[in-house]
Amino acid sequence: MKILEVKDISKNFGGVRALSNLSFSLEEGQITGLIGSNGAGKTTIFNVITGFLKSDSGQIIYKGEDITGLAPIKIVKKGICRTFQELRLFGKLSVFENICLGIPDQSEEKFMTALIKPPKVRKERAAVKEKVEGIIDYVGLTPYTNYLAESLAYGEQKLLSLGRFLATGADTLLLDEPTSGLDGRHIDNILEVVRKLTTSGKTICLIEHNMEVVSAVSSYIYVLDQGTKLAEGFSKDVMNDPQVLSIYLGGE
Amino acid sequence: MSVILSILIQLCMYSILALGLNMLVGYSGLVSSATAALFGIGGYLTALFALHYKLDFFVILIAGGVFAAVLGVLVSLPALRLKGDYFFITTMGFTWIITNIMTNWMQVTRGPNGLTGIPSPLVFGQVLNSRFLFFILILIITALCIFVANRVCTSPFGRALKGMREDDIALEALGKNITAFRVKTFVFYAIYCGMAGTIYAYNMRFVDPTAFTSDESIFVLSMVVLGGVGSIKGTLVGVLVLGIISEGVRYVGLPASIAFQARQIIYGLILVLFMIFRPQGLLGQYKIT
């Protein structure tokens, strides 16, 4: 079943056409890969879906509802969450605190509740703590719970960024190059978490440069080039498409 | 004795101002130059209320804070959606507007002459003539302000603010309403500044526009930066250090003609040295950006 549909989205930056009538969809509970060279529009479409950029035309439909142009926080509340290629962790906060900030609707994040601290918040705090510890364990960062995010190695930071977005409880996760800049062992760690996510029912859209990574985890792939869809198909078919190889790998 | 009490009350007042500003600068990452304007609104409102109506000290204190907050938010709401330079410039404009009103609205503020003859505060129906008791009252209010700031900053609300200071876009991507957080911290800051204005007016017994200029905003910002942005203890240490230096220089026997300038040179120098050698302040963890 299609959970997210991108329909004819176009976006110009001045005279540059970043996205041109782009359409694709995500199947519920599956990993969908978006590949393409730099400037193909991959991150731009993430920004449009999550409300950080407004598209010039087109529609985004999520679970049958038009979410085009909603503010980023409303889109998160609908259940779509994204990671950033540059991670954007809260460096001076601990791993625990980073994940805490992903948990939605905490009453103590309201000023008056924080000031008055009614008795019920103690229970809520305990529940948040348990949930956060569960997520830290899920992404394998338990030994680093109290470390500052900035002090972690890059591979662990990537895992933390995944954990932080898991905490939001979103059903659909948009991952922007989750394995870029990592070595083999760390790539395996990330992919293991990503696969685990789909078994727990999450829908994932993955932007990647690394063809091996995409073909290893994605069930369906869209190839973007200069803001349009160049090809689509099941992972093994797309990988052997001569046109894709030519554009993406620079082959003849 | 009276001089010492007056200095101690001033230190309490600066603590409240600096705590308010630290909440904004240190936790939500917004640098404001409206401190003196909000402080002045509280001061003038207090003077007018105390001179024309027999209102209780606490009523005026709360009114001063609330009025400063309402005016401050109205003016800065468009800028609160933005960050950094835009916000700073808007708050600077706000300060100029307020200073101009103080200086030129003769019928109400009596312009450069200021408002004199503010009576002793009325506390629960009793006139509080004793300076010492007034000091104790201010000390209790300051302690309460420290308690509230600490409680809020160490809560999940404070954690979200720290997240906003670190990376507001990431926080928004996690589904948090950053504009709401900014407005709330600005209101908190404005209330603290307004209340400090009430304390100033009752302590000095007069208000005039020279007390609420941009110099005062920078002085309070210096206290926060010197003590350590984002640290409540640091802020209080900053207030003590700069407050004592600034008051102390008055009593070391410098000729009156250069005392004010000497004071400014000394704390200017301290700031320059700190920015070079310890940008995170005495007890702080973060550098101002």
Side-chain angles (χ1 to χ4, degrees), chain B residues 14-32:
Chain B
Y14 277 120
S15 301
I16 296 174
L17 282 171
L19 282 171
L21 185 63
N22 176 55
M23 180 83 161
L24 199 68
V25 179
Y27 285 85
S28 65
L30 293 164
V31 182
S32 160

Side-chain angles (χ1 to χ4, degrees), chain B residues 137-154:
Chain B
L137 176 69
I138 300 306
L139 197 64
I140 293 169
I141 292 170
T142 309
L144 213 62
C145 285
I146 297 172
F147 171 78
V148 168
N150 188 53
R151 193 170 167 97
V152 170
C153 289
T154 52

